[in-house]
Amino acid sequence: MRKRQLVLALTTAATLTAGAGLVTALPAAAAAGCRVTYAVTSQWPGGFGASVTITNLGDPLTAWSLVWSYAGGQTVTQSWNTTLTQSGPQVTARNAGYNGAIATNGTASFGFNGSGNATPVPSAFTLNGTACTGGVTTPSTSPTSQPGTGVPSDAAWVDSGQWASWTNGGYTLYNNIWGAGAGTQTIWARTGTNWGVVANHPRTSGVKSYPNTGKTLNRTLSSLSSLTSSFNVTVPGSGDYTTAYDIWANNHAYEVMIWTNQAGAVGPIAEQYDANGAVPNVRNLTVGGHTWNVYRGSNGANAVFSFVRTNTNAGTIDIRALLNWLRTNNWWGDVTIGEAQFGFEITGTAGQSNFTVNSFSLNYS
């Protein structure tokens, strides 16, 4: 089990303004001035999250393109509410299909994750070719969370309800506290793919919760030409939990669990057990870009297939390859894939503990 990687959220604000200018090359009204707020929202070993807000001080825009350059070798890895590309140090963020219009004094916001150090922050921006120039300021105090809660101060959604849910960017998050003897749990999210929970569950037997994000596919396996996912998480150094995908098929007749890490007193459902716990049906299976031990069993309500690998906090998985392996080996047929979820299955925590999804994606066609 890897040692706990502490997520440090900070706000490094860069506020920049510009005077008059005219751009005629873009299919949008010219920006006579602009202000950009660039905020580093979180950091973890090897990466960071950031949010950007554009304020249009000029004529109304019907489309926008914001450009900046990094001086520290940073690389953008994932974005939301924008189409973001990078060439060397230069990054270009373009509007999505639904947020291209910015009225005079109106705003547009987007976010992204990146690899490397969060600093130095960009020192100059251009909006539709018009420079937004000014000074970069760093607050002397940067709140990392809402006091006493462990919830980031810039969270867009916070809820402690047992079945609380929130939809953002095509993903639906669930707090999902379902097990007997559960303690307290608060879910928070900046987006549908950057979120976390603050949990305090007793270390008694039985799963207490499965906070997760995901999508509903409702597609037959044979109709899928691709189903891939990437994840990056930060988990506690102690407790009883897994980081896992939960994929349901044929109206919950089948459950596929894909474990990317596990800690403490947890184990997969299996047909056989020995002194070391569950006995895999297949050992060291390489499929979908990883190597797994594979288990099959039943929880009394549905069949459960579990793919378990050595612990990792980040990776990319070809999920379709795993599901097709089950079909090829006659564990199931051409099933209909319903929900595809990713989160933390928590049995118990060592006091108040933080679980964070730094970035996540689930794509299919």
Side-chain angles (χ1 to χ4, degrees):
M1 181 64 197
R2 295 187 178 181
K3 296 294 184 183
R4 178 179 180 183
Q5 297 177 326
L6 179 64
V7 174
L8 300 175
L10 61 131
T11 302
T12 304
T15 301
L16 305 103
T17 58
L22 181 64
V23 178
T24 59
L26 291 173
C34 48
R35 181 168 63 248
V36 174
T37 299
Y38 179 104
V40 177
T41 55
S42 60
Q43 292 186 93
W44 56 91
F48 65 96
S51 64
V52 176
T53 299
I54 304 166
T55 301
N56 176 29
L57 303 179
D59 299 332
L61 299 176
T62 59
W64 51 264
S65 176
L66 186 73
V67 178
W68 71 89
S69 293
Y70 282 121
Q74 298 95 326
T75 301
V76 172
T77 58
Q78 183 186 26
S79 63
W80 49 93
N81 296 330
T82 183
T83 299
L84 205 152
T85 58
Q86 183 167 358
S87 178
Q90 182 173 295
V91 179
T92 301
R94 295 181 174 85
N95 61 274
Y98 50 82
N99 64 354
I102 313 179
T104 301
N105 295 320
T107 63
S109 298
F110 61 90
F112 61 91
N113 292 326
S115 62
N117 295 322
T119 56
V121 300
S123 58
F125 296 82
T126 62
L127 176 64
N128 290 6
T130 297
C132 301
T133 58
V136 176
T137 60
T138 302
S140 58
T141 58
S142 300
T144 61
S145 64
Q146 298 177 9
T149 67
V151 175
S153 58
D154 63 340
W157 175 63
V158 181
D159 205 312
S160 299
Q162 182 179 11
W163 311 115
S165 66
W166 185 63
T167 299
N168 175 266
Y171 295 85
T172 298
L173 290 108
Y174 293 101
N175 205 27
N176 196 16
I177 307 170
W178 63 269
T184 60
Q185 181 174 289
T186 297
I187 190 169
W188 59 266
R190 296 186 181 94
T191 68
T193 57
N194 177 206
W195 60 279
V197 294
V198 182
N200 193 345
H201 296 298
R203 298 183 75 172
T204 53
S205 62
V207 177
K208 308 301 188 300
S209 67
Y210 179 60
N212 66 81
T213 189
K215 298 179 178 180
T216 299
L217 279 62
N218 285 335
R219 292 277 298 275
T220 59
L221 181 54
S222 62
S223 74
L224 290 170
S225 59
S226 68
L227 175 56
T228 61
S229 182
S230 296
F231 63 92
N232 183 302
V233 303
T234 301
V235 293
S238 58
D240 308 307
Y241 62 86
T242 69
T243 302
Y245 292 82
D246 204 7
I247 299 170
W248 296 91
N250 282 10
N251 196 27
H252 294 180
Y254 297 100
E255 180 182 12
V256 180
M257 298 206 70
I258 305 171
W259 292 23
T260 60
N261 66 33
Q262 58 181 301
V266 296
I269 293 174
E271 293 177 323
Q272 299 181 49
Y273 298 85
D274 61 18
N276 296 315
V279 176
N281 294 76
V282 180
R283 297 179 186 271
N284 299 320
L285 172 69
T286 299
V287 64
H290 301 264
T291 299
W292 317 87
N293 285 343
V294 188
Y295 305 77
R296 64 187 300 174
S298 173
N299 61 16
N302 53 261
V304 181
F305 308 137
S306 300
F307 293 80
V308 181
R309 59 148 293 158
T310 54
N311 286 344
T312 182
N313 285 340
T316 298
I317 302 174
D318 182 349
I319 296 176
R320 177 176 173 269
L322 274 65
L323 304 186
N324 275 330
W325 182 90
L326 294 173
R327 185 182 181 190
T328 300
N329 287 272
N330 297 315
W331 287 26
W332 66 10
D334 186 18
V335 297
T336 297
I337 307 300
E339 301 95 337
Q341 302 167 325
F342 175 82
F344 308 101
E345 191 172 67
I346 306 172
T347 296
T349 62
Q352 180 171 299
S353 299
N354 298 321
F355 300 78
T356 304
V357 175
N358 301 310
S359 62
F360 177 71
S361 65
L362 180 71
N363 299 297
Y364 65 95
S365 61

